């Protein structure tokens, strides 16, 4: 079961996503698919081959957004929540695309089979050694999706930039014109956002941050080793705290009891953006008073973190700009 399903299933907080939808979709940069043969190296390391280039693609939500940003429109999409709120999809035109599921672990495989797919596109999750929607804990019927066509995807590994580049490579193999000016513009916007973020971080050399997701029974403290966007933030100079005791069976998080919610004292809390609302900090303080034992929570030093969903240059740029503003406003002495 992937990180956010565990957290969100336990959280009583209503899901109001704060992140923006995909912002770099291009309508006209897809070329006719090359005849073939076709091959692609999956995030697992397996080389997937076909006699001809796939054209009838079913994709998981974020992966669909990545393909659509290069002008490749899937015939079907399965998501972990409503496509109206999914941060990857909510601003995209999904007309003509069959929606095969809007809840984690539940995919309408019969409907998917009727689409006659020749490729399934889904992230590879190295900690679980499974693709999105096919992990341990999903409905067994949903796993039959993998019987319809080969499954490929980039890996949720060390960097969101690498993930985006992986889908750029996949799109190119499927016939997309990846040198389209619209793609170049979004890459440039991302590069500019990274420069601004680095400058903001350099201006707060003592600032520490912790990525967290509170739930009814415990506080989840994110482990950057398994969160590529947090690894990127670290590579850009931000001091994201690495927890010292991640869960051995599910190393995405260190699980803290509410009595020990203040084990770490960051200057700024990065709140899991999939459950973030404007009043979330105050709400958790009312539900669990020990939340305010974390000094940053007590001071309201909380900002949404785009946890586990980014796939495109444009979305990453948008989210970095929000975090840049938060870093610029942050007090680097709160946690001390």
């Amino acid at each position: 079961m992937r990180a956010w399903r565990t957290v969100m299933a336990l959280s009583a907080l209503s899901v109001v996503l704060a992140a923006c939808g995909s912002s770099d979709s291009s309508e006209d940069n897809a070329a006719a698919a090359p005849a073939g043969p076709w091959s692609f190296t999956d995030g697992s390391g397996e080389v997937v081959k076909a006699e001809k280039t796939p054209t009838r693609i079913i994709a998981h939500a974020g992966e669909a957004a990545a393909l659509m940003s290069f002008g490749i429109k899937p015939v079907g999409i399965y998501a972990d929540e409503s496509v109206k709120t999914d941060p990857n999809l909510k601003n995209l035109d999904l007309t003509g695309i069959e929606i095969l599921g809007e809840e984690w672990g539940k995919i309408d495989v019969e409907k998917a089979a009727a689409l006659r797919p020749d490729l399934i596109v889904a992230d590879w999750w190295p900690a679980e050694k499974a693709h999105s929607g096919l992990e341990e804990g999903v409905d067994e019927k949903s796993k039959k999706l993998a019987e319809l066509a080969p499954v490929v995807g980039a890996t949720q590994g060390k960097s969101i930039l690498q993930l985006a580049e992986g889908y750029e490579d996949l799109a190119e193999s499927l016939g997309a014109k990846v040198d389209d000016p619209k793609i170049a513009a979004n890459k440039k916007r991302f590069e500019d956002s990274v420069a601004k973020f680095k400058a903001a971080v350099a201006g707060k050399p003592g600032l520490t941050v912790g990525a967290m997701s509170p739930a009814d029974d415990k506080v989840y403290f994110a482990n950057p080793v398994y969160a590529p966007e947090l690894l990127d933030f670290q590579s850009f100079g931000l001091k994201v705290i690495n927890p010292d005791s991640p869960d051995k069976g599910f190393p995405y998080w260190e699980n803290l009891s509410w009595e020990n919610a203040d084990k770490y004292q960051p200057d700024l809390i990065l709140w899991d953006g999939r459950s973030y609302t404007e009043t979330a900090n105050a709400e958790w303080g009312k539900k669990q008073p020990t939340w305010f034992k974390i000094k940053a929570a007590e001071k309201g030093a909380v900002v949404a973190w785009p946890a586990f969903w980014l796939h495109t240059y444009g979305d990453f740029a948008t989210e970095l700009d929000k975090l840049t503003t938060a870093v610029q406003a942050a007090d680097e002495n709160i946690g001390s």
Side-chain angles (χ1 to χ4, degrees):
M1 195 182 303
R2 203 170 83 214
W4 89 271
R5 267 85 71 169
T6 302
V7 174
M8 303 309 289
L10 293 170
S11 177
L13 190 65
S14 61
V15 178
V16 182
L17 291 165
C20 289
S22 183
S23 57
D24 51 350
S25 179
S26 175
E27 294 292 332
D28 55 4
N29 64 331
W38 176 85
S39 68
F40 184 76
T41 302
D42 179 54
S44 65
E46 179 184 358
V47 178
V48 179
K49 298 181 179 181
E51 293 183 0
K52 62 180 182 178
T53 303
T55 58
R56 300 189 61 79
I57 299 167
I58 290 174
H60 184 241
E63 297 82 306
L67 292 178
M68 291 175 73
S69 75
F70 293 104
I72 295 176
K73 189 173 184 178
V75 295
I77 289 174
Y78 62 98
D80 298 333
E81 61 180 283
S82 169
V83 297
K84 295 180 179 179
T85 61
D86 187 293
N88 291 288
L89 301 175
K90 63 180 184 179
N91 290 334
L92 294 181
D93 180 4
L94 304 182
T95 303
I97 299 175
E98 193 75 51
I99 305 303
L100 304 171
E102 296 182 88
E103 179 181 353
W104 182 81
K106 296 184 183 298
I107 304 169
D108 191 330
V109 176
E110 290 185 2
K111 188 182 289 186
L115 296 174
R116 298 176 288 105
D118 47 20
L119 190 68
I120 312 294
V121 176
D123 289 343
W124 173 257
W125 294 82
E128 295 158 282
K129 295 181 171 57
H131 289 94
S132 294
L134 304 174
E135 307 97 322
E136 180 181 350
V138 305
D139 285 356
E140 286 302 312
K141 290 188 296 184
S142 296
K143 290 184 178 181
K144 293 185 180 296
L145 181 72
E147 299 175 6
L148 302 181
V151 184
V152 301
T155 184
Q156 280 277 355
K158 300 300 183 183
S159 169
I160 294 298
L161 180 56
Q162 289 180 10
L163 186 72
E165 289 172 345
Y167 283 108
E168 182 174 2
D169 291 342
L170 176 59
E172 185 174 20
S173 79
L174 296 170
K177 295 185 292 184
V178 298
D179 58 350
D180 184 274
K182 294 179 182 178
I183 301 300
N186 277 292
K187 288 183 180 180
K188 179 62 166 59
R189 186 162 71 89
F190 167 73
E191 292 167 359
D192 291 345
S193 294
V194 171
K196 294 174 185 176
F197 183 79
K198 287 181 175 180
V201 170
K204 299 287 176 71
L207 185 72
T208 61
V209 303
M212 306 172 74
S213 190
D216 283 346
D217 63 340
K218 58 177 64 77
V219 177
Y220 293 87
F221 197 97
N223 178 13
V225 174
Y226 290 96
E229 63 283 348
L230 296 181
L231 288 175
D232 283 333
F233 299 159
Q234 288 181 333
S235 74
F236 300 155
L238 188 63
K239 294 179 180 177
V240 183
I241 296 171
N242 286 64
D244 51 34
S245 299
D247 182 78
K248 291 182 179 179
F250 201 68
Y252 295 96
W253 312 91
E254 178 175 350
N255 305 329
L256 301 175
S257 67
W258 276 104
E259 290 76 15
N260 295 314
D262 61 341
K263 177 179 178 180
Y264 303 100
Q265 288 288 353
D267 299 309
L268 178 66
I269 293 172
L270 303 185
W271 182 292
D272 186 338
R274 297 162 301 181
S275 61
Y276 182 82
T277 70
E278 293 295 332
T279 58
N281 192 49
E283 289 173 2
W284 277 109
K286 292 178 181 177
K287 293 176 65 172
Q288 299 285 358
T290 53
W291 175 246
F292 284 141
K293 289 171 65 179
I294 307 171
K295 297 175 184 177
E298 197 275 331
K299 295 289 187 179
V302 179
V303 65
W305 147 51
F308 302 105
W309 66 266
L310 293 172
H311 281 79
T312 68
Y313 300 106
D315 280 339
F316 201 178
T318 298
E319 296 304 314
L320 268 180
D321 288 345
K322 295 177 185 177
L323 289 171
T324 295
T325 299
V327 168
Q328 290 170 336
D331 180 352
E332 56 188 321
N333 299 306
I334 287 178
S336 57

